[in-house]
């Protein structure tokens, strides 16, 4: 069950298409053409989107005149679901707990409960506890608390513990969550490359945007509250490294610092992209499997599409399982050329 974030109908529909069990218990799917409601993971044939309406709980669907699906029994709760809910409630009230403590609480062995929790929630109990604390930091920042106040309010014993938790998350910092990026300076330039006109932008922490055939207007649309400044000589060395990485995408670009924000799932997807070696490709299903959820290929595609940093976060290395180059935000020709330069060619 996913309860860390509020989810909109688009995310619910993606979960239904992927039959994602992690969303079971978060909502039910009402199919008004048949008069039934189902779990997100229901194995029945996928309904047409126009016939679907989502409800927070079974009682809401039944008030709308729908009856429970007999295949997935959305109005009943399994013993496993009850144990996971109990563990989530305990972590929410007490903070991080050891696997042994959670096993004692639920009656399962530590190893079995770890697998059950991760299959249901998509995270291990320890990762869930960290994500919950990070969300509390975010909420505290929204109320106007300082970063230090927010960290202590969320249960961190010291700021260093928070930064240790988020180490390696592509430049995300606690202060980035406050005020929607207001006050941040983004330095930009448009550079001619052999792939066409390239927009590259960076903060003092690293590259935050790389795109093709775009300019200042598109950058401002991406970062509406930031202070957008044309880059000076201070950024020449960094931008030269970016150009070199674009011209030779098979080279190692891991030394180029990035500053990018996204949801926890997007961050995981983007990190997985950077682990695909140059010259190799993955299907959306294979990338989803790398994240531990083979059925989440559509959600993976959406996360890849939200990537603001082309080439350095190599979403061009993900292609359709059926073959061919597939879609790309900047056109299939650029994607095909990047794959060609990396030695991967087309499938």
């Amino acid at each position: 069950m996913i309860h860390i974030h509020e989810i909109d109908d688009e995310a619910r529909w993606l979960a239904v298409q992927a039959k994602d069990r992690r969303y079971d218990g978060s909502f039910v799917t009402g199919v008004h053409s048949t008069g039934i409601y189902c779990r997100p993971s229901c194995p029945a044939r996928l309904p047409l989107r126009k016939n679907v309406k989502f409800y927070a709980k079974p009682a809401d669907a039944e008030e709308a005149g729908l009856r429970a699906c007999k295949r997935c029994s959305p109005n009943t709760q399994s013993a496993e679901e009850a144990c996971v809910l109990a563990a989530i409630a305990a972590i929410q009230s007490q903070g991080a707990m050891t696997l042994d403590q959670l096993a004692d609480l639920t009656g399962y062995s530590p190893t079995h409960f770890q697998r059950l929790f991760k299959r249901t929630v998509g995270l291990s109990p320890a990762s869930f506890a960290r994500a919950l604390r990070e969300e509390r930091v975010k909420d505290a920042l929204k109320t106007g608390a300082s970063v230090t106040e927010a960290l202590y309010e969320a249960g961190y014993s010291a700021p260093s513990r928070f930064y240790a938790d988020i180490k390696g998350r592509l430049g995300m910092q606690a202060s980035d969550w406050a005020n929607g990026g207001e006050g941040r300076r983004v330095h930009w330039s448009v550079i001619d490359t052999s792939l066409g006109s390239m927009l590259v932008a960076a903060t003092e922490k690293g590259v935050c945007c790389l795109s093709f055939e775009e300019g200042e207007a598109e950058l401002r649309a991406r970062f509406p509250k930031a202070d957008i400044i044309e880059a000076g000589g201070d950024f020449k060395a960094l931008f030269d490294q970016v150009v070199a990485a674009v011209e030779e995408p098979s080279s190692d670009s891991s030394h180029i610092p990035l500053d990018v924000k996204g949801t926890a799932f997007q961050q995981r997807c983007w990190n997985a992209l950077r682990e695909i070696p140059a010259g190799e490709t993955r299907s959306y299903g294979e990338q989803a499997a790398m994240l531990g959820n083979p059925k989440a290929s559509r959600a993976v595609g959406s996360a890849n599409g939200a990537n603001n940093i082309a080439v350095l976060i190599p979403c061009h290395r993900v292609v359709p399982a059926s073959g061919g180059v597939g879609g790309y935000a900047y056109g299939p020709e650029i994607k095909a050329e990047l794959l060609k330069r990396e030695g991967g060619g087309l499938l």
Side-chain angles (χ1 to χ4, degrees):
M1 292 138 289
I2 294 183
H3 297 288
I4 300 175
H5 304 285
E6 285 294 325
I7 55 175
D8 57 21
D9 281 357
E10 182 180 356
R12 292 185 180 98
W13 180 238
L14 286 172
V16 170
Q17 290 176 303
K19 301 187 183 300
D20 193 333
R21 294 180 59 177
R22 295 177 302 158
Y23 287 84
D24 287 353
S26 299
F27 65 90
V28 295
T29 306
V31 185
H32 284 261
S33 58
T34 60
I36 65 170
Y37 67 93
C38 305
R39 296 173 181 266
S41 66
C42 182
R45 182 178 178 182
L46 188 70
L48 296 176
R49 178 65 181 88
K50 66 180 181 179
N51 297 328
V52 167
K53 184 176 180 180
F54 300 107
Y55 297 91
K57 51 187 182 293
D60 295 336
E62 290 175 5
E63 286 181 10
L66 302 175
R67 64 187 186 279
C69 172
K70 293 182 178 180
R71 293 190 66 179
C72 65
S73 301
N75 56 340
T76 62
Q77 186 181 87
S78 69
E80 289 186 344
E81 289 174 329
C83 287
V84 171
L85 284 173
I88 288 174
I91 293 170
Q92 288 173 330
S93 64
Q94 301 176 38
M97 300 174 67
T98 67
L99 270 179
D100 286 339
Q101 289 173 324
L102 291 172
D104 288 341
L105 174 69
T106 60
Y108 288 98
S109 71
T111 302
H112 180 75
F113 184 75
Q114 168 97 334
R115 288 197 300 267
L116 171 62
F117 192 96
K118 188 169 184 179
R119 186 187 70 198
T120 306
V121 178
L123 300 168
S124 68
S127 296
F128 175 82
R130 284 195 297 270
L132 185 63
R133 287 202 295 181
E134 290 166 21
E135 285 298 309
R136 288 173 176 167
V137 172
K138 178 180 177 180
D139 291 341
L141 286 168
K142 287 181 178 178
T143 66
S146 70
V147 171
T148 300
E149 290 171 339
L151 296 179
Y152 285 118
E153 185 175 330
Y156 284 95
S157 59
S160 59
R161 293 301 310 151
F162 174 81
Y163 291 106
D165 277 356
I166 66 167
K167 184 178 180 181
R169 301 244 188 117
L170 302 179
M172 182 184 287
Q173 299 292 328
S175 56
D176 291 336
W177 280 330
N179 303 320
E182 187 175 1
R184 297 289 302 278
R185 288 192 171 186
V186 175
H187 304 259
W188 67 279
S189 185
V190 173
I191 303 169
D192 288 331
T193 73
S194 60
L195 293 174
S197 172
M198 179 182 74
L199 168 69
V200 58
T203 67
E204 72 281 359
K205 296 177 183 178
V207 176
C208 62
C209 183
L210 194 165
S211 61
F212 296 97
E213 303 302 331
E214 292 187 341
E216 182 180 359
E218 288 82 3
L219 183 65
R220 289 187 181 277
R222 281 189 167 98
F223 304 100
K225 295 185 178 181
D227 187 13
I228 307 295
I229 304 170
E230 193 163 357
D234 291 348
F235 284 81
K236 183 179 186 304
L238 175 61
F239 287 6
D240 284 348
Q241 293 179 53
V242 174
V243 172
V246 170
E247 296 293 355
E248 294 187 36
S250 60
S251 61
D252 181 12
S253 62
S254 61
H255 61 285
I256 299 177
L258 304 183
D259 186 9
V260 60
K261 294 190 296 179
T263 66
F265 182 74
Q266 288 172 336
Q267 294 277 342
R268 290 174 63 208
C269 287
W270 297 338
N271 276 317
L273 288 171
R274 301 185 83 196
E275 293 174 3
I276 302 174
E280 296 185 16
T281 58
R282 301 286 186 271
S283 69
Y284 292 100
E286 287 172 334
Q287 188 188 358
M290 289 168 62
L291 299 171
N293 189 356
K295 295 183 179 180
S297 57
R298 290 180 183 272
V300 163
S302 295
N304 290 358
N307 171 28
N308 281 332
I309 305 179
V311 185
L312 302 183
I313 299 178
C315 55
H316 63 274
R317 293 175 187 164
V318 181
V319 297
S322 57
V325 68
Y328 192 54
Y330 311 108
E333 295 82 5
I334 289 180
K335 183 175 183 178
E337 181 60 25
L338 287 168
L339 293 173
K340 179 181 177 182
R341 294 183 184 188
E342 291 181 350
L346 299 179
L347 295 185

